[in-house]
Amino acid sequence: MMEVKISDSIKYIGVDDKDIDLFESQYIVENGIAYNSYLILDEKIAVMDTVDKRKTDEWYKNLETVLDGKTPDYLVISHLEPDHASNIRTLAEKYPEMKLVGNVKTFNMLPQFFDFDLEGRTVTVKEGDTLDLGSHKLTFFMAPMVHWPEVMVSYESTEKVLFSADGFGKFGALDTDEDWACEARRYYFNICGKYGVQVQNLLKKAATLDIKKICPLHGPILTENLEYYINLYDTWSKYEPETDGVFIAYASIHGNTKAAALKLYDILKSKTDKKISIADLSRTDLAEDIEDAFRYSRMIVAAPTYDGGVFPIMNDFLHHLEIKAYKNRKVGIIENGSWAPMAGKVMTSYFEKMKNIEIVPTTVSIRSSMKEDTTALLEQLADEILA
Ligand code: FEO
């Protein structure tokens, strides 16, 4: 079992998944993912969530080792998404006396996933309700849409531990030594990004609690400098930029749009000390590109025209930004078109649908390849995006 120390009474029983190809069938996770699960040992014993079915056997081994022959009284269900909930039925069958703790939405949705008799098995909690385990007491706070409607978090008041569900989660197995913010940010914007308002609501509830440790459902247990993590979550969920700089996101078929994007990169570098980042959308991880779009205060998109619209890879990127509620940013556009340029129009229409996006006046329009006047236009674009 992965050695993760929380306290004498709160034990980690989660598992690392390092051979998954794509998390949620879409996210590249080079360092895997952790499905966290916890056990609170007191007069009453509570299991805090189960794990993905990919790791059922390993999880049961961890659970039984820590239980050491004892029987759990409760399974607290924070979230029904199958990466955490896959073993609800098997656990309920294994321990017929164990009660399932969830809210009204949990128990409305649970039968959609599992067909078994819940009669007499459920403890339905609502906002502020407390479950007494002995010296440990769990208080429940609803966190709808962080990341599903039934999500709730639990606060254990004796040891001051917040079980935060997907909140404060991160890609990467627990035995991975990597920067927290990089993979937590990619996780946040791609998985919770649309739900900034709901994350803000949760942060307001958390601000009323004295929290010493945060135990999320993915990623490391946070035990020190909690303000750092909470402040980042506050910035992200307010849709405020984290870094004052420019993210250039380009897609290019034969390299001519790329040449313009690279030229703009050099121009920007020569004009400012702000951070400038550039990505070839065809060859980078889309989730990373989404993350960078949210991270920076400004963005330039550059793409060719394709089938009467914009190059599909750029279309996909902008579609993702739209559904993740990208807003409050300054953007600029470079388009390419050999006979009937349309890319600029399509990219503009995406930004017009988003909230509080300032599109700078100059759109640089290239006909096939950069010409003598292109550099001057790129200079203008650079000045406008930096202004
Ligand atoms: Fe980690 Fe939304 O499940």
Side-chain angles (χ1 to χ4, degrees), residues 23-24 79 81-84 147-148 151 166 187 191 217-218:
F23 179 62
E24 291 187 0
H79 184 15
E81 191 163 10
D83 51 332
H84 311 292
H147 139 239
W148 277 18
V151 171
D166 276 340
Y187 177 94
I191 290 178
L217 287 176
H218 302 286

Side-chain angles (χ1 to χ4, degrees), residues 185 188-190 193-194 235-236 239-243 247 288-299 317 320-327 329:
R185 190 190 298 107
Y188 175 82
F189 282 113
N190 286 280
K194 180 177 167 61
T235 301
W236 298 342
Y239 299 93
E240 285 174 358
E242 184 185 335
T243 303
F247 175 49
E288 188 94 36
D289 299 326
I290 302 297
E291 173 195 344
D292 281 339
F294 279 98
R295 178 181 185 164
Y296 290 94
S297 50
R298 306 140 208 261
M299 178 170 70
F317 173 65
H320 274 79
L321 290 186
E322 186 189 359
I323 62 173
K324 300 296 172 192
Y326 183 76
K327 65 181 83 169
R329 300 291 190 277

Side-chain angles (χ1 to χ4, degrees), residues 29-134:
V29 282
E30 274 174 6
N31 293 321
I33 185 103
Y35 312 119
N36 294 343
S37 166
Y38 308 90
L39 195 64
I40 306 178
L41 296 163
D42 204 320
E43 286 164 34
K44 300 281 186 192
I45 296 175
V47 180
M48 307 299 287
D49 294 292
T50 77
V51 299
D52 194 282
K53 63 179 181 304
R54 294 170 48 81
K55 295 291 167 185
T56 297
D57 294 347
E58 209 179 308
W59 177 70
Y60 270 115
K61 225 158 91 194
N62 293 350
L63 174 68
E64 281 159 19
T65 302
V66 179
L67 278 174
D68 196 21
K70 296 185 202 72
T71 304
D73 298 280
Y74 300 108
L75 167 64
V76 175
I77 305 166
S78 304
H79 184 15
L80 274 176
E81 191 163 10
D83 51 332
H84 311 292
S86 286
N87 287 288
I88 290 176
R89 181 182 180 152
T90 60
L91 192 72
E93 285 171 351
K94 189 175 164 74
Y95 299 107
E97 302 300 315
M98 184 190 74
K99 298 266 199 275
L100 309 182
V101 181
N103 55 65
V104 170
K105 289 178 192 164
T106 318
F107 295 123
N108 281 341
M109 203 192 287
L110 194 141
Q112 295 173 190
F113 287 101
F114 303 101
D115 200 10
F116 71 101
D117 190 9
L118 290 173
E119 186 65 35
R121 300 294 306 267
T122 59
V123 176
T124 305
V125 297
K126 55 184 185 330
E127 182 77 9
D129 280 358
T130 293
L131 182 70
D132 201 335
L133 303 175

Side-chain angles (χ1 to χ4, degrees), residues 115-180:
D115 200 10
F116 71 101
D117 190 9
L118 290 173
E119 186 65 35
R121 300 294 306 267
T122 59
V123 176
T124 305
V125 297
K126 55 184 185 330
E127 182 77 9
D129 280 358
T130 293
L131 182 70
D132 201 335
L133 303 175
S135 63
H136 292 79
K137 290 170 193 10
L138 287 171
T139 304
F140 302 99
F141 298 94
M142 304 302 122
M145 301 320 293
V146 185
H147 139 239
W148 277 18
E150 85 299 354
V151 171
M152 62 181 195
V153 303
S154 319
Y155 175 67
E156 200 294 298
S157 49
T158 304
E159 301 203 47
K160 305 187 189 316
V161 175
L162 180 70
F163 295 92
S164 60
D166 276 340
F168 298 97
K170 171 186 161 293
F171 294 128
L174 287 203
D175 72 352
T176 306
D177 186 18
E178 64 186 359
D179 178 53
W180 184 86

Side-chain angles (χ1 to χ4, degrees), residues 336-347:
N336 197 347
S338 291
W339 58 95
M342 273 299 291
K345 197 170 165 196
V346 176
M347 290 191 280

Side-chain angles (χ1 to χ4, degrees), residues 307-318:
D307 285 346
V310 68
F311 190 47
I313 286 164
M314 175 58 78
N315 197 65
D316 193 28
F317 173 65
L318 293 172

